Amino acid sequence: MRIGDINNADIEQLHGLSLAVGWPHRAEDWQLAREVGNGIVALDGIGRIQGSAMWFPYGSDFATIGLVITTPRLQAYGAGKWLMGHVLDRVGGRNLGLNATRAARRLYRSLNFSAEALVFQCQGESTLPPDVESSSGRVLRALAQTDLQAIAELDRVAFGADREMLLARLLGCSESVGLIRDGRIEAFSLCRRFGRGRVIGPVVAANDADAIAVVRPYVAKHAGSFLRLDTREQGGAFSEFLSRCGLPVYDTVTTMSRGHPWLTAPGRQAPREPRTYALVGHALG
């Protein structure tokens, strides 16, 4: 096996790799990942892709890792650890975060990653959302590129790192909703095509009511279609809303970190501070 740059890899082979392990990524989803991140592939003697791993730098001291895949026949031979060794050599000493499947948690623990929280993968054929009370003084509207700096600042506080370049790319390929009070954006969400249907994320808001407000328009518009939303929210009005919209918990993965902790410890967040209600998904954090 040898290592190659993921940007030189055949996109249809990458699509076939994710299909081999039952992941929903389309060729278009792989291409988006390559545009906003870095990665490597494992190639056999005749150039066939047998594995992949990507990292997404956010600033000089943090990156997320994702799309770590090996073909089923290589999983028993330590190919995942071999790929991760090459990634760790390339990330420049950054603090790292990732979302690990059950099958991968043991690998990441062996590489000194620590578990921080569960992520609930909520998905299904969406139904018409329940009615919710509309707060006075609140306006919902689509976002424009001129809103980028405002939503990037909200996201920076919620996520813990600067993702303005990623958000700029996502704005260009996503539906969007911003919640405005007194002329300021206080919550936002994006929704784009992914896998079997659409994924909603990121969703950034300071409370459940605002998070519901910026998610509900997508559920109403795409009722009857497949939607996915990945969240760390367990219980509460937001989780209940998702269940009532036909998006029950399908599976869980585990947020893990290496170096400094990624997530704010429970109880340490300011009451009105924005937080991440839904992840970007697609391994981007």
Side-chain angles (χ1 to χ4, degrees):
M1 303 295 293
R2 60 185 173 86
I3 291 293
D5 189 321
I6 201 165
N7 287 307
N8 299 327
D10 179 75
I11 198 74
E12 293 303 330
Q13 283 199 52
L14 290 171
H15 183 212
L17 179 66
S18 52
L19 286 176
V21 295
W23 287 18
H25 301 70
R26 307 167 303 152
E28 294 88 344
D29 302 323
W30 277 101
Q31 182 56 34
L32 174 61
R34 294 200 300 187
E35 289 175 14
V36 299
N38 307 292
I40 55 174
V41 289
L43 302 167
D44 66 15
I46 58 174
R48 295 175 301 187
I49 297 174
Q50 303 294 321
S52 67
M54 295 198 71
W55 62 99
F56 305 90
Y58 301 119
S60 61
D61 60 355
F62 182 71
T64 59
I65 291 174
L67 290 168
V68 181
I69 305 174
T70 59
T71 55
R73 70 185 185 90
L74 288 183
Q75 288 173 2
Y77 294 93
K81 193 165 189 175
W82 178 69
L83 278 167
M84 281 298 300
H86 284 280
V87 170
L88 294 176
D89 287 342
R90 289 164 165 78
V91 293
R94 289 177 168 88
N95 299 306
L96 301 172
L98 55 79
N99 295 304
T101 63
R102 291 185 181 90
R105 283 201 296 262
R106 182 176 179 182
L107 164 65
Y108 295 126
R109 284 197 297 266
S110 74
L111 296 170
N112 298 318
F113 283 83
S114 300
E116 291 198 34
L118 282 179
V119 176
F120 301 92
Q121 296 178 343
C122 303
Q123 64 183 52
E125 186 175 298
S126 59
T127 59
L128 285 171
D131 292 331
V132 295
E133 290 187 18
S134 179
S135 171
S136 62
R138 181 184 77 187
V139 175
L140 298 177
R141 65 164 173 83
L143 298 170
Q145 286 292 337
T146 52
D147 298 312
L148 176 60
Q149 191 170 9
I151 67 170
E153 177 57 22
L154 284 176
D155 184 73
R156 185 193 63 77
V157 174
F159 183 78
D162 184 1
R163 298 195 294 180
E164 184 171 339
M165 291 182 63
L166 171 63
L167 292 171
R169 177 64 180 86
L170 293 178
L171 269 176
C173 64
S174 304
E175 302 171 67
S176 60
V177 177
L179 186 152
I180 292 87
R181 287 192 184 93
D182 299 324
R184 294 181 55 205
I185 299 174
E186 294 194 355
F188 77 93
S189 64
L190 302 177
C191 176
R192 69 186 188 280
R193 290 190 177 277
F194 172 79
R196 294 171 55 189
R198 291 174 174 82
V199 62
I200 301 172
V203 176
V204 175
N207 55 65
D208 284 18
D210 286 358
I212 291 169
V214 295
V215 167
R216 189 180 184 281
Y218 307 127
V219 182
K221 180 178 179 180
H222 300 297
S225 300
F226 184 87
L227 292 179
R228 173 173 167 174
L229 184 151
D230 296 351
T231 182
R232 297 189 185 97
E233 297 295 313
Q234 183 175 13
F238 185 72
S239 295
E240 181 181 344
F241 170 79
L242 296 178
S243 295
R244 293 176 66 189
C245 292
L247 305 179
V249 176
Y250 171 77
D251 199 0
T252 60
V253 295
T254 302
T255 294
M256 305 182 77
S257 62
R258 171 173 153 146
H260 293 312
W262 178 4
L263 307 179
T264 302
R268 293 186 182 178
Q269 187 178 40
R272 295 181 60 82
E273 190 171 88
R275 67 178 189 263
T276 301
Y277 271 84
L279 283 61
V280 172
H282 192 21
L284 304 178

